[in-house]
Amino acid sequence: MIVSVCRRSPARSPSGQLLGLESPWTVTRVELAVQEQRVDIWAGHAEDARWACPECEATLALYDHSEERAWRHLDSCQFQTYLHARPPRVQCPTHGVKQVRLPWAEVRARFTTLFERLAIDVLLETDIVGATRILRISWDEAWHIQERAVARGQRAKGPRVPTRLGVDEKAAAKGHRYLTVVCDLEQATVEYIADDRKQASLDGYFQGLTDAQRAGIEAVAMDMWEPYIQSVLTHLPDGTRTIVFDRFHIMGHMGDAVDHVRKQEHRALRAAGDETLTGSKYLWLYGAERMPEQHQDRFLVLPALNLKTARAWAIKETLRQLWSYRRTAWAERHWKGWYFWATHSRLQPVIDVARLIHRHLPNILTYFKHRVTNAVSEGLNSKIQTIKKRAYGFRNREHFKTAIYFHCGGLDLYPVTHGIPG
Ligand SMILES: [Zn+2]
């Protein structure tokens, strides 16, 4: 059954408002197809209406119409709703024949602005596949809305550059393919993403900034990774003073060293039939104060067994205290004691990391000036991890990047509505 309603309602009538119609547009016809659960609405305009050239805003008479088009709109009582219209064209003396702007949709959009806003909200809460089910749109359509939202947000972004940056690498896929991710540590947003973890990966970010913007960067928290170091030294006027090798990465290196010691010791013990270290891998990754309750009994016993692994762990935990000092001089004193202990531990993986840290010490101690860590990037990383787990929704790496900007970019994603409560 098709119910057809022909009428002219003023633009400010409830139906006009719901559609985002404004003068001179009015609803001219409504068709309700109950079986198909679909509503089709036609918009028309007064014949004497005058239109603005989309380029220069000059007010002009109607020239002609483009072909009729349809835009998917917000569902009406679960009925899929489509708005139809023939977009008017003007002939501007300066810009030639142009299609005018429509109040309910952006240029080339297949959805009304209100539908796009809803779709963005849904996409922020779920993944592409979920959005296709909820919104009853195709994968490509959902993806296109997300992509347009990111492009719109990036265009709207002001020239402000973060003063405190975090630079991190992120495994993009199996097989050591990386992305370089630049974060704003104050806003907790992803500012920039590039392929690989080379110097050029980070160079791309700095090269997009003006000299004044680069000069405004006060601190860059990152890992002791030579390509990133070189990029900062090349592009920031006072690069050496801005770099902070942050504690998350340093403690990560120490954690790896402890694990290395554990593996070697476990192998040796097991060869002698001793299973003391079996299944203890994750135990040693915890900090003393964060040990989960179910492991505590076992953990109290293990360090007392005079294990190399326990010694490596104690050295790691003592290093952590370095960042608790309020003054550089005290931190340096702690460092000296720690360095002596670590380098005399006869645990090669620990000695290697101690030397690595020693080589980079000046830019570890910059922490006491800038007080930045990559804790924010760590938080963003887990968000990115969630995005990656939905990888079945991504067909390539560019999609992955767009999704990161969509969810973590702090961008204004929404299209502008024209005075309609959105
Ligand atoms: Zn014009």
Side-chain angles (χ1 to χ4, degrees):
M1 179 188 72
I2 291 180
V3 183
S4 182
V5 189
C6 287
R7 59 174 172 166
R8 275 202 176 271
S9 59
R12 283 293 160 211
S13 72
S15 60
Q17 273 202 11
L18 280 174
L19 287 161
L21 295 190
E22 55 188 36
S23 177
W25 291 96
T26 53
V27 172
T28 56
R29 193 168 117 219
V30 178
E31 273 186 21
L32 183 65
V34 177
Q35 293 269 277
E36 290 83 27
Q37 299 220 327
R38 175 180 166 127
V39 185
D40 287 277
I41 300 165
W42 279 262
H45 60 81
E47 275 168 30
D48 58 354
R50 293 178 63 80
W51 308 91
C53 164
E55 305 286 336
C56 65
E57 305 284 325
T59 310
L60 302 156
L62 179 73
Y63 175 68
D64 67 357
H65 288 99
S66 307
E67 287 287 296
E68 182 180 299
R69 287 192 47 199
W71 293 262
R72 171 84 185 275
H73 186 57
L74 299 175
D75 292 358
S76 324
C77 304
Q78 296 177 27
F79 283 27
Q80 284 194 23
T81 303
Y82 291 85
L83 175 63
H84 301 254
R86 296 179 63 200
R89 301 202 304 169
V90 289
Q91 187 172 29
C92 173
T94 319
H95 299 102
V97 175
K98 292 273 170 189
Q99 186 180 306
V100 307
R101 279 197 209 101
L102 303 169
W104 58 82
E106 288 191 329
V107 182
R108 282 187 290 278
R110 284 182 278 177
F111 303 94
T112 65
T113 302
L114 290 179
F115 185 93
E116 264 193 81
R117 292 178 72 97
L118 169 72
I120 289 166
D121 284 338
V122 171
L123 282 161
L124 284 169
E125 294 295 327
T126 177
D127 57 358
I128 299 276
V129 177
T132 62
R133 291 197 197 114
I134 294 168
L135 298 163
R136 294 185 285 175
I137 56 179
S138 71
W139 196 98
D140 283 329
E141 286 171 332
W143 177 257
H144 196 56
I145 289 172
Q146 179 159 313
E147 210 169 32
R148 281 165 60 90
V150 168
R152 183 187 298 122
Q154 284 176 333
R155 275 198 307 276
K157 203 171 170 177
R160 198 193 74 85
V161 169
T163 53
R164 289 149 172 259
L165 296 175
V167 180
D168 214 343
E169 62 183 43
K170 186 81 206 146
K174 282 181 188 145
H176 299 287
R177 303 200 56 184
Y178 290 93
L179 293 178
T180 293
V181 178
V182 180
C183 309
D184 176 342
L185 294 180
E186 274 158 10
Q187 306 288 320
T189 51
V190 170
E191 293 294 302
Y192 184 79
I193 311 167
D195 290 329
D196 303 318
R197 48 173 182 168
K198 300 177 180 155
Q199 184 179 337
S201 317
L202 186 53
D203 285 350
Y205 175 69
F206 293 126
Q207 282 159 2
L209 306 179
T210 63
D211 288 347
Q213 286 173 324
R214 284 199 286 259
I217 297 172
E218 292 165 10
V220 186
M222 60 175 176
D223 194 7
M224 300 170 283
W225 179 246
E226 204 52 36
Y228 292 163
I229 297 170
Q230 287 312 318
S231 180
V232 171
L233 295 181
T234 309
H235 292 98
L236 297 189
D238 208 358
T240 331
R241 279 204 247 168
T242 61
I243 295 175
V244 181
F245 298 122
D246 76 291
R247 83 173 124 174
F248 282 87
H249 282 109
I250 291 164
M251 291 310 294
H253 288 290
M254 269 313 291
D256 290 346
V258 174
D259 197 47
H260 206 128
V261 171
R262 179 198 59 81
K263 271 193 225 156
Q264 288 174 347
E265 190 174 32
H266 181 44
R267 213 176 295 135
L269 288 175
R270 216 156 55 172
D274 185 337
E275 295 286 341
T276 308
L277 284 173
T278 301
S280 73
K281 174 172 179 178
Y282 294 99
L283 221 52
W284 306 105
L285 300 181
Y286 291 108
E289 72 292 350
R290 287 182 302 164
M291 181 68 60
E293 215 169 319
Q294 73 267 27
H295 296 318
Q296 277 178 5
D297 289 348
R298 185 168 184 212
F299 190 73
L300 287 173
V301 179
L302 280 171
L305 295 177
N306 199 19
L307 293 161
K308 287 179 184 171
T309 313
R311 205 144 39 88
W313 181 85
I315 295 172
K316 178 192 79 167
E317 286 305 301
T318 307
L319 176 63
R320 192 190 298 280
Q321 289 163 19
L322 180 71
W323 289 275
S324 62
Y325 290 96
R326 290 177 56 195
R327 290 167 190 273
T328 317
W330 284 98
E332 270 178 303
R333 184 182 295 190
H334 177 85
W335 163 259
K336 280 179 188 149
W338 183 86
Y339 185 65
F340 183 85
W341 183 22
T343 47
H344 289 79
S345 65
R346 298 186 311 281
L347 303 168
Q348 199 53 48
V350 171
I351 295 169
D352 291 345
V353 173
R355 293 206 172 122
L356 173 72
I357 299 172
H358 181 65
R359 279 202 299 282
H360 292 99
L361 191 65
N363 285 94
I364 292 169
L365 296 178
T366 45
Y367 169 79
F368 296 97
K369 181 172 165 233
H370 298 301
R371 300 264 161 198
V372 291
T373 76
N374 252 331
V376 162
S377 333
E378 296 296 310
L380 284 171
N381 266 342
S382 74
K383 216 164 157 185
I384 292 171
Q385 201 57 35
T386 311
I387 296 168
K388 200 168 105 181
K389 274 190 203 141
R390 300 163 172 172
Y392 57 87
F394 299 108
R395 296 180 186 174
N396 62 41
R397 206 145 54 132
E398 292 310 307
H399 284 180
F400 183 37
K401 286 186 205 168
T402 303
I404 296 173
Y405 283 127
F406 185 80
H407 290 279
C408 310
L411 300 169
D412 183 7
L413 300 165
Y414 298 100
V416 177
T417 51
H418 292 253
I420 301 142

